[in-house]
Amino acid sequence: MNDLGKLEDLPQSYRDELKALNLVPLWPSLRAVLPPKVPTRQTKPTHWPYASLKPLLLQAGELTPIEKAERRVLVLANPGHGLEKMQASAAIYLGMQLLLPGEWAPSHRHTPNAVRMIVEGEGAYTTVDGEKCPMSRGDLILTPTGLWHEHGHDGDEPVVWLDVLDLPLVYYMEASYHVNGERQAVKPGRGDAAFRRAGVAPTPVFTRSARAYPMLRYPWVDTRAALEALAQDQPDLACVQVTYINPETGDDAENILGFYALMLRPGQALRLPARSPACVFHQIEGSTDIDVEGHAFNLAEADTACAPGYTAVSLRNRSDTDAAFIFMADESPLHRKLGVYENRG
Ligand SMILES: [Fe+2]
């Protein structure tokens, strides 16, 4: 490959003239923006152990009242992007949020899409679009773009959840903003529970729902049962994985990020191929050894990690007696819609 000319090769007077006219020569930067075969990635393999962050999150509960925080969150920031950027990958934001008994995180809506994966504690709930969604360990609750949402807590122990948003992308698009709202009136059930039953959808007088987000809460008890049924049904299946979908269309549950649950059988090792999107791993149950191109982590229960795109990831369940369960988020829907999705095998 030819070495291209450098900026320093150009006379200063010429560079000054370009600069004065807001012009930039491409060739000194061409290889940086279009590198050969593998993109430049700021996203570094990163591990956030829950045991280390939990005391600091609880301390935030003492230091900062909810009224002064609105959302009491410690952001899981990828050092490769710079901590101040508050992003886990190019398109993924991760935050660990604490709500104490009796607290209220007021209603708002925003352009970025969010989900929350409940990490621990009982008694909290999120009201989304008038639907009161109880929060239990492993539940996934969607708060898609434009839907009102607020959090309340009737229990007696701290509740922690992992927020996953496409904030870095929407912010980069200069399309990120929020609107504050009034406390929502809780409406009668939306009928979401019907979707959790195998292969049926609500169809009053032969009419299917046209809602963009027909299901807002995916209870872990049901997702876990689906994984176990799949593993039992297909004992030779190498990868016991499910996708959180829009049950009316079969599409990904949200537009930009994809969400999945993975079960590793006792002692199972699994290699995930190098694919273009970055990927986040959150251990719901058990313990998993993860290797991302030589960066090795042990993901203990409630730990979170991320891997850059175009990188193979090896997983191994540390237990020889119990299954391990992992929640994953990635940028697949975005990459597919943009036509840049790759699986390099
Ligand atoms: Fe929000």
Side-chain angles (χ1 to χ4, degrees), residues 70-71 97 106-110 112-114 116 143 147-151 163 165 178:
E70 209 166 290
R71 299 294 194 266
Q97 183 159 169
S107 187
H108 72 182
R109 61 181 184 176
H110 38 69
N113 297 274
R116 48 217 87 254
T143 55
L147 294 197
W148 293 109
H149 56 280
E150 61 202 86
H151 312 295
D163 290 312
L165 280 78
H178 88 283

Side-chain angles (χ1 to χ4, degrees), residues 255-273:
N255 286 327
I256 295 177
L257 302 182
F259 307 102
Y260 318 85
L262 175 73
M263 170 179 162
L264 295 174
R265 300 171 202 269
Q268 185 186 351
L270 176 68
R271 182 181 174 280
L272 299 174

